[in-house]
Amino acid sequence: SSDLKQVTPDLVATAKARDMSLHQVVTLASIVEREAANASERPLIAAVFLNRIAQGVPLQADPTVQFVVSRVPGNADRFGYWKARLTDADLALVSPYNTYLNRGLPPGPIANPGIQSIRAVVSPAAVDYLYFVASPACDGTHLFAATLAAHNENVAKFAASSCAKGN
């Protein structure tokens, strides 16, 4: 069945119960879609972003910055649609889509989310995580953390890994 049929009245009602419009769900799901290389992590990634929104913490989602970078004239030709390595200058680009500079959701989706990402936003994992970073396993999974101290340990693990050094 089509994705349109998969966005059921129950799914919309569940979103509404979470005080989220379908537009907000699709917008956040688009970020989850771009972050989740491993489908099983979608509910965890959605939970991180929803927890950050609830605490008034910026999402700081790299895909939103990649979206902004790709819209600078000439950048799509230079870097492709999603620039692999973001710079401090990229993170400082002024745009309503830059979730490093702006709290909450961007004005709209940054990609086309699949139904798994939409469902993850409506029914996220019940975790207190606020952070995630790529896993040193270099397999597309992430390390999750509830505290900045634990996150910094995970960042150090990734930074010491062959996948961080190899790219």
Side-chain angles (χ1 to χ4, degrees):
S1 68
S2 73
D3 278 358
L4 186 59
K5 291 179 184 171
Q6 292 182 49
V7 178
T8 63
D10 282 350
L11 188 145
V12 174
T14 303
K16 200 168 268 193
R18 295 185 62 82
D19 287 327
M20 293 184 79
S21 69
L22 190 56
H23 179 79
Q24 290 170 318
V25 169
V26 171
T27 298
L28 183 52
S30 74
I31 299 170
V32 172
E33 186 74 26
R34 291 295 310 156
E35 287 281 13
N38 183 308
S40 70
E41 290 188 344
R42 285 187 177 108
L44 293 168
I45 291 170
V48 168
F49 291 137
L50 289 164
N51 291 343
R52 291 178 79 85
I53 289 168
Q55 293 193 20
V57 177
L59 296 182
Q60 296 184 329
D62 288 357
T64 65
V65 177
Q66 290 166 324
F67 178 82
V68 173
V69 168
S70 73
R71 270 130 193 90
V72 173
N75 275 358
D77 292 334
R78 288 172 52 209
F79 307 118
Y81 193 60
W82 299 101
K83 185 179 178 186
R85 293 258 175 199
L86 296 174
T87 64
D88 287 342
D90 294 333
L91 298 178
L93 286 170
V94 175
S95 167
Y97 285 89
N98 185 337
T99 59
Y100 278 80
L101 300 180
N102 306 293
R103 294 179 196 279
L105 294 173
I110 59 160
N112 186 20
I115 191 65
Q116 286 184 318
S117 293
I118 291 169
R119 287 187 183 131
V121 169
V122 174
S123 299
V127 294
D128 60 355
Y129 299 145
L130 287 171
Y131 307 94
F132 62 92
V133 65
S135 167
C138 309
D139 61 0
T141 62
H142 295 86
L143 301 177
F144 294 86
T147 66
L148 184 57
H151 176 63
N152 287 340
E153 289 177 20
N154 290 340
V155 169
K157 289 175 190 170
F158 175 75
S161 73
S162 61
C163 43
K165 294 181 168 108
N167 281 330

